[in-house]
Coordinates of all heavy atoms in Angstrom, one line a residue:
L1 N 3.3 0.5 4.7 CA 2.0 0.7 4.1 C 1.6 -0.5 3.3 O 0.4 -0.9 3.3 CB 2.0 1.9 3.3 CG 1.8 3.3 4.0 CD1 2.1 4.4 3.1 CD2 0.4 3.4 4.6
Q2 N 2.5 -1.1 2.5 CA 2.2 -2.2 1.7 C 1.8 -3.4 2.6 O 0.8 -4.1 2.3 CB 3.4 -2.6 0.8 CG 3.3 -3.9 0.1 CD 2.4 -3.8 -1.2 OE1 1.5 -3.0 -1.3 NE2 2.5 -4.8 -2.1
K3 N 2.5 -3.7 3.6 CA 2.2 -4.8 4.5 C 0.8 -4.6 5.1 O 0.1 -5.6 5.3 CB 3.2 -4.9 5.6 CG 4.6 -5.5 5.1 CD 5.6 -5.6 6.2 CE 6.9 -6.2 5.8 NZ 7.9 -6.3 6.9
A4 N 0.5 -3.4 5.5 CA -0.8 -3.2 6.2 C -2.0 -3.1 5.2 O -3.1 -3.3 5.6 CB -0.7 -1.8 6.9
S5 N -1.7 -2.8 3.9 CA -2.8 -2.5 3.0 C -3.1 -3.5 1.9 O -4.2 -3.6 1.5 CB -2.5 -1.1 2.4 OG -2.3 -0.1 3.4
A6 N -2.0 -4.1 1.4 CA -2.2 -5.1 0.3 C -2.8 -6.4 0.8 O -2.3 -7.0 1.7 CB -0.9 -5.3 -0.4
K7 N -3.9 -6.8 0.2 CA -4.6 -8.0 0.6 C -4.3 -9.1 -0.4 O -4.7 -9.0 -1.6 CB -6.1 -7.8 0.7 CG -6.5 -6.6 1.6 CD -6.0 -6.7 3.0 CE -6.5 -5.5 3.9 NZ -5.9 -5.6 5.2
L8 N -3.7 -10.2 0.1 CA -3.4 -11.3 -0.7 C -4.2 -12.5 -0.1 O -3.9 -13.1 0.8 CB -1.9 -11.7 -0.7 CG -1.0 -10.6 -1.3 CD1 0.5 -10.9 -1.0 CD2 -1.2 -10.5 -2.8
Y9 N -5.4 -12.7 -0.8 CA -6.3 -13.7 -0.2 C -5.9 -15.1 -0.6 O -5.5 -15.4 -1.7 CB -7.7 -13.4 -0.7 CG -8.3 -12.0 -0.3 CD1 -8.5 -11.0 -1.3 CD2 -8.6 -11.7 1.0 CE1 -9.0 -9.8 -0.9 CE2 -9.1 -10.5 1.4 CZ -9.3 -9.5 0.4 OH -9.8 -8.3 0.8
P10 N -6.1 -16.0 0.4 CA -5.9 -17.4 0.0 C -7.1 -17.9 -0.8 O -8.2 -17.6 -0.6 CB -5.9 -18.1 1.4 CG -6.7 -17.3 2.3 CD -6.5 -15.9 1.8
G11 N -6.8 -18.8 -1.8 CA -7.8 -19.3 -2.6 C -8.4 -18.3 -3.6 O -7.9 -17.2 -3.7
P12 N -9.4 -18.7 -4.4 CA -10.0 -17.8 -5.4 C -10.7 -16.6 -4.7 O -11.2 -16.7 -3.6 CB -11.0 -18.7 -6.1 CG -10.5 -20.1 -5.8 CD -10.0 -20.1 -4.4
V13 N -10.8 -15.5 -5.5 CA -11.6 -14.4 -5.1 C -12.6 -14.1 -6.2 O -12.3 -13.9 -7.3 CB -10.7 -13.1 -4.9 CG1 -11.5 -11.9 -4.4 CG2 -9.5 -13.4 -3.9
R14 N -13.9 -14.2 -5.7 CA -15.0 -14.0 -6.7 C -15.6 -12.6 -6.5 O -16.1 -12.3 -5.4 CB -16.1 -15.1 -6.5 CG -17.1 -15.1 -7.6 CD -18.0 -16.3 -7.4 NE -17.3 -17.5 -7.5 CZ -17.1 -18.2 -8.7 NH1 -17.7 -17.8 -9.8 NH2 -16.4 -19.3 -8.7
I15 N -15.5 -11.8 -7.5 CA -16.0 -10.4 -7.5 C -17.4 -10.5 -8.2 O -17.5 -10.8 -9.4 CB -15.1 -9.4 -8.2 CG1 -13.7 -9.5 -7.6 CG2 -15.7 -8.0 -8.2 CD1 -12.6 -8.9 -8.5
R16 N -18.5 -10.3 -7.5 CA -19.8 -10.5 -7.9 C -20.5 -9.2 -8.5 O -20.2 -8.1 -8.0 CB -20.7 -11.1 -6.8 CG -20.3 -12.5 -6.4 CD -21.4 -13.1 -5.6 NE -21.2 -14.5 -5.2 CZ -21.4 -15.5 -6.1 NH1 -21.9 -15.3 -7.3 NH2 -21.1 -16.8 -5.7
N17 N -21.3 -9.4 -9.5 CA -22.2 -8.4 -10.0 C -21.5 -7.1 -10.4 O -21.7 -6.1 -9.8 CB -23.3 -8.1 -8.9 CG -24.4 -7.2 -9.4 OD1 -24.6 -7.1 -10.7 ND2 -25.0 -6.5 -8.5
V18 N -20.7 -7.3 -11.4 CA -20.0 -6.1 -12.0 C -20.2 -6.1 -13.5 O -20.4 -7.2 -14.1 CB -18.5 -6.1 -11.7 CG1 -18.3 -5.8 -10.2 CG2 -17.9 -7.4 -12.1
R19 N -20.2 -5.0 -14.1 CA -20.1 -4.9 -15.6 C -18.7 -4.5 -15.9 O -18.0 -3.7 -15.2 CB -21.1 -3.8 -16.1 CG -22.6 -4.2 -15.9 CD -23.5 -3.3 -16.6 NE -23.5 -1.9 -16.2 CZ -24.0 -0.9 -16.9 NH1 -24.7 -1.1 -18.0 NH2 -23.9 0.3 -16.4
L20 N -18.2 -5.2 -16.9 CA -16.8 -5.0 -17.3 C -16.7 -4.0 -18.5 O -17.6 -4.0 -19.4 CB -16.2 -6.3 -17.8 CG -16.4 -7.6 -17.0 CD1 -15.6 -8.7 -17.6 CD2 -16.1 -7.3 -15.5
F21 N -15.7 -3.1 -18.4 CA -15.5 -2.3 -19.6 C -14.7 -3.2 -20.6 O -13.6 -3.6 -20.3 CB -14.7 -1.0 -19.3 CG -14.3 -0.3 -20.5 CD1 -15.3 0.3 -21.3 CD2 -13.0 -0.2 -21.0 CE1 -15.0 1.0 -22.5 CE2 -12.7 0.4 -22.2 CZ -13.7 1.1 -22.9
D22 N -15.2 -3.4 -21.8 CA -14.6 -4.2 -22.8 C -13.9 -3.2 -23.8 O -14.6 -2.5 -24.6 CB -15.6 -5.0 -23.5 CG -15.1 -5.8 -24.7 OD1 -13.9 -5.6 -25.1 OD2 -15.8 -6.7 -25.2
P23 N -12.6 -3.0 -23.7 CA -12.0 -2.0 -24.6 C -12.0 -2.3 -26.1 O -11.8 -1.4 -26.9 CB -10.5 -2.0 -24.0 CG -10.3 -3.3 -23.4 CD -11.7 -3.7 -22.9
A24 N -12.2 -3.6 -26.4 CA -12.3 -3.9 -27.8 C -13.6 -3.5 -28.4 O -13.7 -2.9 -29.5 CB -12.1 -5.4 -28.0
A25 N -14.7 -3.8 -27.6 CA -16.0 -3.3 -28.1 C -16.3 -1.9 -27.7 O -17.3 -1.3 -28.2 CB -17.1 -4.2 -27.4
K26 N -15.5 -1.3 -26.8 CA -15.7 0.1 -26.3 C -17.1 0.2 -25.7 O -17.8 1.2 -26.0 CB -15.5 1.1 -27.4 CG -14.0 1.1 -28.0 CD -13.9 2.1 -29.1 CE -12.4 2.2 -29.6 NZ -11.9 0.9 -30.2
A27 N -17.4 -0.7 -24.9 CA -18.8 -0.7 -24.2 C -18.7 -1.6 -23.0 O -17.7 -2.3 -22.7 CB -19.8 -1.3 -25.2
L28 N -19.7 -1.5 -22.2 CA -19.8 -2.3 -21.0 C -20.5 -3.6 -21.3 O -21.4 -3.6 -22.1 CB -20.6 -1.6 -19.9 CG -20.1 -0.3 -19.3 CD1 -20.9 0.2 -18.1 CD2 -18.6 -0.4 -18.9
T29 N -20.1 -4.6 -20.6 CA -20.8 -5.9 -20.7 C -22.1 -6.0 -19.9 O -22.3 -5.1 -19.1 CB -19.9 -7.1 -20.3 OG1 -19.7 -6.9 -18.9 CG2 -18.5 -7.0 -21.0
E30 N -22.8 -7.0 -20.0 CA -23.9 -7.4 -19.1 C -23.2 -7.7 -17.8 O -22.0 -8.0 -17.7 CB -24.7 -8.5 -19.6 CG -25.5 -8.2 -20.9 CD -26.5 -7.0 -20.6 OE1 -27.2 -7.1 -19.6 OE2 -26.5 -6.1 -21.4
P31 N -24.0 -7.8 -16.7 CA -23.4 -8.1 -15.4 C -22.6 -9.5 -15.4 O -23.1 -10.5 -16.0 CB -24.6 -8.2 -14.4 CG -25.6 -7.3 -15.1 CD -25.4 -7.4 -16.5
R32 N -21.5 -9.4 -14.8 CA -20.6 -10.6 -14.7 C -20.1 -10.8 -13.3 O -20.1 -9.9 -12.5 CB -19.4 -10.3 -15.7 CG -19.7 -10.2 -17.1 CD -20.0 -11.6 -17.8 NE -20.1 -11.5 -19.2 CZ -21.2 -11.3 -19.9 NH1 -22.4 -11.2 -19.2 NH2 -21.2 -11.3 -21.2
D33 N -19.5 -12.0 -13.1 CA -18.7 -12.3 -12.0 C -17.3 -12.6 -12.5 O -17.1 -13.2 -13.5 CB -19.2 -13.6 -11.2 CG -20.5 -13.4 -10.5 OD1 -21.0 -12.2 -10.4 OD2 -21.1 -14.4 -10.1
V34 N -16.3 -12.1 -11.8 CA -14.9 -12.2 -12.2 C -14.2 -12.9 -11.0 O -14.3 -12.5 -9.9 CB -14.2 -10.9 -12.5 CG1 -12.8 -11.1 -12.8 CG2 -14.9 -10.2 -13.7
V35 N -13.4 -14.0 -11.4 CA -12.7 -14.7 -10.4 C -11.2 -14.5 -10.6 O -10.7 -14.7 -11.7 CB -13.1 -16.2 -10.4 CG1 -12.3 -17.0 -9.3 CG2 -14.6 -16.4 -10.2
V36 N -10.5 -14.2 -9.5 CA -9.0 -14.1 -9.5 C -8.4 -15.2 -8.7 O -8.9 -15.5 -7.6 CB -8.6 -12.7 -8.9 CG1 -7.1 -12.6 -8.8 CG2 -9.1 -11.6 -9.8
F37 N -7.4 -15.9 -9.2 CA -6.7 -16.9 -8.5 C -5.2 -16.6 -8.7 O -4.7 -16.6 -9.8 CB -7.1 -18.3 -9.0 CG -6.4 -19.4 -8.2 CD1 -6.7 -19.6 -6.8 CD2 -5.4 -20.2 -8.8 CE1 -6.1 -20.6 -6.1 CE2 -4.8 -21.2 -8.0 CZ -5.1 -21.4 -6.7
G38 N -4.5 -16.4 -7.5 CA -3.1 -15.9 -7.6 C -3.1 -14.6 -8.3 O -3.8 -13.6 -7.9
N39 N -2.3 -14.4 -9.3 CA -2.2 -13.1 -10.0 C -2.9 -13.2 -11.4 O -2.6 -12.3 -12.2 CB -0.7 -12.7 -10.1 CG 0.1 -13.6 -11.1 OD1 -0.3 -14.7 -11.4 ND2 1.2 -13.1 -11.5
R40 N -3.8 -14.2 -11.6 CA -4.4 -14.3 -12.9 C -5.9 -14.2 -12.7 O -6.5 -14.6 -11.7 CB -4.0 -15.6 -13.5 CG -2.6 -15.8 -13.9 CD -2.3 -15.2 -15.2 NE -0.8 -15.3 -15.5 CZ -0.3 -14.8 -16.6 NH1 -1.0 -14.3 -17.6 NH2 1.0 -14.9 -16.8

């Protein structure tokens, strides 16, 4: 199941048009893009 289901994309992954839950502010941010590269 892991081999068939887990997606490890080459290069950066840009997640567009999301609001983030900010646990320090306990609120949602304005719309953001989040980029993942590797496991960071």
Side-chain angles (χ1 to χ4, degrees):
L1 280 169
Q2 171 76 340
K3 287 181 178 178
S5 305
K7 307 300 181 185
L8 297 170
Y9 297 112
V13 181
R14 190 171 298 267
I15 305 163
R16 291 196 174 280
N17 187 24
V18 290
R19 294 193 296 168
L20 316 185
F21 175 69
D22 180 346
K26 297 181 177 61
L28 297 189
T29 67
E30 293 300 312
R32 297 281 189 269
D33 292 347
V34 174
V35 182
V36 173
F37 183 66
N39 69 342
R40 296 273 175 181

